[in-house]
Amino acid sequence: MFAVISDRGRQAGVRLGDVVSCDLNTDWNPGDSVTFDQVFLLSNEGDVKVGAPTVEGASVTGEVVGHVKGKKEVVFRFKRRKNVRVKRGHRQGYTQVRITKIDS
């Protein structure tokens, strides 16, 4: 079974047992159960349901695995001949969710 879900604007294709990185949500603690109600597409062995915009009555349930940081993005600002050199880094926070159930 395959589903396309939306979590606060970011879409992800998921299967049972997948671990999905969602945007950081500090309200979710490891071990909590999370339900995604916005399901755009459901596929089950050739039977495909496409929502307009969402599939009615469909939901995806997952369990929060933990919070992680992504890889470091380096931003370097430089102006030649002006002695302007600024190096900054950023690591985006993510919440990892393991998909446990897909309801149609």
Side-chain angles (χ1 to χ4, degrees):
M1 197 159 201
F2 176 77
V4 176
I5 61 171
S6 174
D7 173 47
R8 296 175 292 165
R10 186 178 301 249
Q11 296 180 11
V14 297
R15 287 188 165 82
L16 202 61
D18 282 356
V19 177
V20 180
S21 293
C22 301
D23 287 334
L24 183 65
N25 192 340
T26 55
D27 296 336
W28 298 347
N29 296 316
D32 287 353
S33 180
V34 180
T35 302
F36 300 101
D37 294 328
Q38 289 189 336
V39 179
F40 297 130
L41 181 135
L42 274 176
S43 174
N44 188 11
E45 308 218 0
D47 180 29
V48 178
K49 294 180 187 175
V50 179
T54 60
V55 178
E56 293 293 325
S59 66
V60 175
T61 307
E63 176 188 358
V64 177
V65 176
H67 304 292
V68 296
K69 284 187 176 182
K71 74 172 206 166
K72 185 165 204 153
E73 298 291 329
V74 176
V75 179
F76 189 73
R77 180 172 162 235
F78 174 81
K79 290 190 178 180
R80 64 183 189 156
R81 297 190 302 268
K82 306 294 183 195
N83 198 24
V84 175
R85 291 171 189 88
V86 179
K87 182 178 179 181
R88 292 192 177 125
H90 173 76
R91 291 183 71 184
Q92 183 70 34
Y94 295 103
T95 300
Q96 290 187 328
V97 177
R98 178 177 290 115
I99 304 301
T100 56
K101 185 167 74 169
I102 299 176
D103 292 329
S104 55

